[in-house]
Structures are given as structure tokens and as C-alpha cells.
Amino acid sequence: MTDKVILVVVDPTAPPEQPVVSRAAWLAPRVSAALELCIVDYDAELDPGDAQEESLRRGKDRLLERHRATLESIAESLRRRGLTVTTDVVWDHPLGEALVRKIKAGQPWLVAKDTHYHSVPKRTIFTNTDWELIRGSPAPLLLVKPRTLAARPKVLAAVDPLHEHDKPGHLDDAIFAVAASLADAVGGELHVVHAFSPPMGLELPPDAALLIAAQHREALASFVATHPVPPERAHLLAEPPAESLPAFAEEQAADFVVMGAVSRRGLSRWFIGSTAEQILDRLPCDLVIVKPPPKP
């Protein structure tokens, strides 16, 4: 019996055949994890509060029962495949904050949620709930896109060995550990990638530009020397990350990109850096978001 749990966020407004359910069911046996299917919902018109209105209470109970039936139907099909699956329906709001509370209380090994392509070609528009989870989830977050994985999935660990953007150095170790574990579990291929660009707004002489590139190259080489990845699978992208990382992921036909979320100095909320939204919206594959490990 495993002590790992993948919390799967199920959208009650979408059909039962959701990409996140398929991806989590594919991943669970490979990492020896159980699944917890969860719907979080709330309807202010059905919330009786402290009032003794039986009709409101019945309406709320019927809604929650429909959600339970939906989850149990999905769960039963997964159990027939040999997976360990539990279900939970939570009456809470706003959705993003409610999910963060659920995650903090349950402490799952991984949280999985769908994210969707929209009309702009090759772009994904993240919802407020996605960003709430990116900022607030203490557990690694898997954002699933509706695509088929390769037979041997390619996993990119996006690191920043010079620790720019106030990113703590030990976050790179956490990113690599998650990426390496994922690649190993799914029989995939692990790569490390570091994208950088010269300081914005500066016209640097050629020698200075070469020096900056050399510093990043040396930092990446030092990182690879202490982490088990072949040097030929370490990639330095000397272009703005918002452009180069999505393009590289598409060129490599990556299946997962593992990135880190950081906290800006003086702010209590979590971000991934100034180019986060552009990078995440343009990546063509599933994303895994990792937070720094807690300080000892």
C-alpha cells in the first residue's frame, strides 16, 4: 500500500473524460500512488447559512450528491483497472483558495489539474484558479494539457543555476529531483535546460556579452557535474526565456517541463518570475510546478 496520493481536481462542468483524469490514472501506477478525485463547488443561491430553510438545504444536498455520483462513476472505472481511488466533494469558495485549503489539509504528494488551450494559436490562457494553485499550493502541481504523451516521455528540468530573480539555490535541486524522479518512473528521458538573456535595455559590447554567456555556461556545467544527467542533455539557451523555453520544448517534443515557483522579496505571494505568464502560456506540454523545500 502506498502513502503517495495524487489529488485530482475534477471540473464538475466538464465531461467525465477529462485529460487530467487520464493523465493521473496513467501516472499513478508508475509512481505507486493512490488517487483522490475531488470536486470543489459552491452556489451562493443554495447556501442556507444559518437560516433554517429546508428547501435550500435540499438543493445543496442534491447538488453535492450529483457530484459524488459523478466522482464515484469515474472512480469505479479506475478501480476496475486496479487503481486505489477515493473521492471527496468540498463545499467551499472561492475555488482557488478552497483548493489551496484542501491541499494544505491533505498534504498530497502531487496535485493534478487540467488547463486548456484557447483561441490564440498555440497559447494557453491560465485561469485565476490555476494561478491561485501556482502561488498557493505547497505540493508540486501538475497542469495537464490535452495532448498525447510519447511512448518514452521527455522531461525538461528548467533550472537557473545563477539564481536570478531572487530564486533560492536549493530550488534547482528540488526541480531536478522531481524531474529525475518523474523521468525514471515513466521510463522517460531527462534533460536540463537553462535559458537566459542579457540585462534588458543595455547595449553590451561583444566582450561583455561573451562574458555573461560564459558565466551562465559555467554555472550550468557546475550544476550538471553534481547531478546525474549526461552533459549532452544539458542545454543552454542564450535568448529571452519567454521565447526560447517554449520554442525549445516544442523543438524537443517535450512532454513535461518542470519549473520552480519563487517568492519575491517583500511580497507574501508566490510567483515564477517576471516572464512567468508568457512562458507558461506558450509551453506546448504539461507543466510541473515545484516550490522550494522548507528551510530546516
Side-chain angles (χ1 to χ4, degrees):
M1 183 175 180
T2 179
D3 57 354
K4 291 180 182 175
V5 174
I6 300 174
L7 177 65
V8 183
V9 180
V10 176
D11 183 352
T13 67
E17 299 79 16
Q18 298 179 27
V20 68
V21 174
S22 299
R23 188 79 82 244
W26 171 85
L27 182 60
R30 290 167 169 81
V31 297
S32 299
L35 297 179
E36 180 181 2
L37 309 180
C38 178
I39 287 177
V40 175
D41 200 4
Y42 177 82
D43 186 340
E45 295 183 359
L46 295 178
D47 191 348
D50 296 329
Q52 300 298 314
E53 294 192 34
E54 188 62 28
S55 61
L56 291 179
R57 226 181 318 274
R58 287 198 301 269
K60 172 185 171 182
D61 290 345
R62 283 195 296 269
L63 176 62
L64 296 181
E65 191 53 41
R66 283 200 300 272
H67 290 336
R68 292 188 187 98
T70 296
L71 291 182
E72 280 301 317
S73 175
I74 298 171
E76 191 53 40
S77 67
L78 298 177
R79 291 173 186 139
R80 287 196 292 269
R81 293 165 52 181
L83 300 176
T84 300
V85 187
T86 59
T87 63
D88 188 27
V89 176
V90 178
W91 180 262
D92 196 3
H93 72 109
L95 177 57
E97 295 177 16
L99 282 168
V100 170
R101 286 191 285 271
K102 163 75 176 173
I103 294 163
K104 289 180 177 179
Q107 299 183 344
W109 176 76
L110 178 71
V111 178
K113 181 186 179 298
D114 272 339
T115 191
H116 303 284
Y117 288 111
H118 289 254
S119 57
V120 181
K122 298 185 179 180
R123 293 292 297 275
T124 298
I125 307 303
F126 281 77
T127 66
N128 288 339
T129 301
D130 294 334
W131 285 107
E132 286 287 346
L133 290 176
I134 289 169
R135 294 171 182 132
S137 173
L141 174 65
L142 170 62
L143 292 171
V144 175
K145 298 192 178 183
R147 60 188 303 276
T148 302
L149 300 179
R152 189 184 184 197
K154 187 172 290 186
V155 182
L156 305 185
V159 301
D160 181 14
L162 287 182
H163 317 314
E164 297 181 330
H165 309 300
D166 300 332
K167 187 171 70 61
H170 56 281
L171 179 54
D172 278 343
D173 293 330
I175 292 169
F176 183 86
V178 170
S181 176
L182 176 61
D184 181 65
V186 303
E189 185 176 293
L190 174 65
H191 291 248
V192 172
V193 58
H194 169 46
F196 77 96
S197 58
M200 297 297 293
L202 296 180
E203 288 292 335
L204 297 175
D207 288 349
L210 290 173
L211 177 60
I212 290 174
Q215 290 173 336
H216 284 273
R217 188 177 300 107
E218 290 171 8
L220 180 59
S222 296
F223 181 84
V224 170
T226 58
H227 293 78
V229 61
E232 64 271 17
R233 293 187 188 170
H235 310 276
L236 184 69
L237 309 179
E239 295 177 359
E243 300 170 8
S244 61
L245 188 56
F248 183 76
E250 184 166 6
E251 173 192 314
Q252 292 288 314
D255 296 281
F256 299 92
V257 169
V258 183
M259 300 180 67
V262 301
S263 180
R264 292 294 198 184
R265 288 184 185 137
L267 297 177
S268 60
R269 306 198 70 162
W270 290 90
F271 295 86
I272 301 186
S274 60
T275 56
E277 188 167 350
Q278 297 176 56
I279 292 175
L280 295 180
D281 282 345
R282 293 174 181 174
L283 284 172
C285 55
D286 288 6
L287 316 176
V288 180
I289 307 298
V290 180
K291 294 289 182 61
K295 294 180 179 179

